[in-house]
Amino acid sequence: MIETVVALLMIVNNEIKEHRIQVDPKTGKYSMSMCLKGKRLAQRQETGGNIQHQCIKAKAELELNIDGSKSIKKLILE
């Protein structure tokens, strides 16, 4: 299934290494504020120099996990 999501990206040497959907646990909706909070926490914990974190709102191909949660299978960057 394809949906527009808010995702936190971990970029290493200009290549996307990890992407995670950011959902507000109270509302269950995609949340830019939760993404920015996660970005701040990740930046504080990182010690490497070539790692960047970025929040984006983009279309993504999603898959359902066994527990019913969604994860990003593929980002569709336009």
Side-chain angles (χ1 to χ4, degrees):
M1 86 184 85
I2 296 178
E3 288 185 33
T4 300
V5 298
V6 175
L8 176 58
L9 307 179
M10 181 175 75
I11 303 167
V12 180
N13 295 328
N14 295 322
E15 185 178 330
I16 298 172
K17 292 292 184 181
E18 188 174 330
H19 39 68
R20 300 206 177 227
I21 297 174
Q22 300 298 299
V23 178
D24 187 338
K26 294 179 183 175
T27 64
K29 296 183 180 181
Y30 303 119
S31 171
M32 185 61 77
S33 64
M34 292 300 293
C35 186
L36 293 171
K37 181 179 179 181
K39 178 182 173 183
R40 284 191 301 273
L41 289 172
Q43 286 176 332
R44 288 182 195 148
Q45 294 174 353
E46 292 295 333
T47 57
N50 285 338
I51 300 174
Q52 296 176 320
H53 295 89
Q54 182 178 354
C55 292
I56 64 166
K57 184 175 186 178
K59 288 184 180 180
E61 186 177 330
L62 303 178
E63 60 186 358
L64 286 175
N65 297 322
I66 292 174
D67 63 357
S69 65
K70 297 177 184 176
S71 62
I72 298 173
K73 186 174 182 180
K74 179 172 69 172
L75 283 172
I76 303 170
L77 301 174
E78 298 173 339

